[in-house]
Amino acid sequence: MKPNTTTTPPTSPAASLTEAEILDWLHEEDPANLEELWARADAVRKAHVGDEVHLRGLLEISNHCIRRCGYCGLRADNHRVERYRMTEAEVMACAAEAVAYGYGTVVMQSGEDYGIQTDWLANIIRRIKTETPLAVTLSMGERPDEDLEAWREAGADRYLLRFETSNRALYRMIHPDARGKVSDRFAILARLRELGYEVGSGVMIGIPGQSYATLAHDIHLFRSLDLDMVGVGPYIGHPETPLGKGEWSARLPEGEQVPNTELMTYKVVALTRIVCPEANIPSTTALATLNRDQGREQGLTRGANVIMPNITPMHYRTRYEIYPAKVCLQETGPAFYRNIQDRIRSIGRRPGEGQGNRIRGRT
Ligand code: SAH
């Protein structure tokens, strides 16, 4: 057969992208071309993870933190935060609420808080796993091996630890080491995998000092790490942090700084879906904070398949201020739950059933 030289070969939606192509897409501004990117990401999403949108209840169990991250409002030096740590009874009551709302997972997140003792949390994990049908995801920062082992043993299913940026120098600046221990989140991610956790990571978009090339490399790394979950969201400056105040800054040459915009976030969500077709990818609260009305839906139609409604009791939620004006401060109770379900159905999708684990090799 004579080769057809006039048309380009059809690209399978699952065909992946090189780092150079990712970089080109990050620079793309033409709306018609971007429509193509959204459509491609949506097709990959549909083929690999289907139309279900998994709901994970996010429970912020403590805002104590020993770290001094330049971006995060919970950093140890922020003395304006009123610190809290939930009790076992409070955590169990929230887990019961997650079950009542039909969520498949509870995600327990905190600052890096060693007041959360290994056995205390192991006992809670064991209780949730025996008393409820929930999957348990942890996001407790850079805990030592023994803790990660004990919690896995107790039944925890997944662990989230964003590597934040793959640029070593930028990472060291925004995320100073603790207790003379060099922070190596990639080593911890590998360890989590060995222990049998589903592993999640991700980055912030538009951190001061983050270049387009770095972000393209980050996205490329998501694929090499074969992540089960990838969370990406815009960096939002917090006024009580060095980065938010502009005290620590790594100024980049004109045109190299990634903007922390809604559009850039959609590009990263879409590219992430294309490079990690099977991953569970949330449409994040930080994205909804930039666009309260449509942010979550647009994330879902451009590659995402997970929403993490906040189930933290309101009097604690206001104090878990990693960045200001989180949209979830308005989102609460059964009315919000129905609203989320309606929003999911309004875009032709359906709320997920079961725990929503990573599905391998569906196509
Ligand atoms: N202590 C845990 C959980 C931190 S909060 C840990 O360090 O892993 C979860 C995520 O929120 C962080 O990984 C970071 O990517 C994001 N985050 C923190 N501060 C932020 C900010 N100012 N803007 C946007 N995202 C932020």
Side-chain angles (χ1 to χ4, degrees), residues 62 64-65 67 69-74 109-113 139-142 159-164 175 185 202-205 207 231-238 241 243 286 320-324:
S62 159
H64 289 268
C65 193
R67 307 302 292 253
C69 302
Y71 46 86
C72 182
L74 302 187
Q109 190 179 82
S110 70
E112 200 166 309
D113 173 17
S139 173
M140 324 294 297
E142 298 165 41
Y159 204 101
L160 304 175
L161 188 72
R162 291 184 176 179
F163 62 80
E164 315 295 3
H175 191 90
R185 290 195 164 199
V203 298
M204 286 174 284
I205 298 158
I207 314 162
V232 294
Y235 160 75
I236 299 172
H238 188 298
T241 62
L243 275 189
Y320 197 84
E321 201 190 59
I322 53 183
Y323 53 82

Side-chain angles (χ1 to χ4, degrees), residues 195-236:
L195 291 171
Y197 283 95
E198 274 196 18
V199 177
S201 194
V203 298
M204 286 174 284
I205 298 158
I207 314 162
Q210 181 187 52
S211 69
Y212 281 85
T214 293
L215 182 55
H217 188 63
D218 295 344
I219 297 168
H220 198 248
L221 264 179
F222 295 161
R223 180 176 42 193
S224 344
L225 293 169
D226 187 26
L227 295 173
D228 303 304
M229 304 166 284
V230 188
V232 294
Y235 160 75
I236 299 172

Side-chain angles (χ1 to χ4, degrees), residues 66-108:
I66 61 154
R67 307 302 292 253
R68 299 186 155 76
C69 302
Y71 46 86
C72 182
L74 302 187
R75 65 199 311 276
D77 314 55
N78 184 2
H79 300 296
R80 299 202 173 176
V81 186
E82 218 186 309
R83 306 282 170 170
Y84 71 87
R85 190 176 295 125
M86 289 175 66
T87 65
E88 176 177 339
E90 288 170 328
V91 172
M92 292 310 296
C94 291
E97 199 172 311
V99 175
Y101 286 147
Y103 301 159
T105 300
V106 63
V107 181
M108 289 189 272

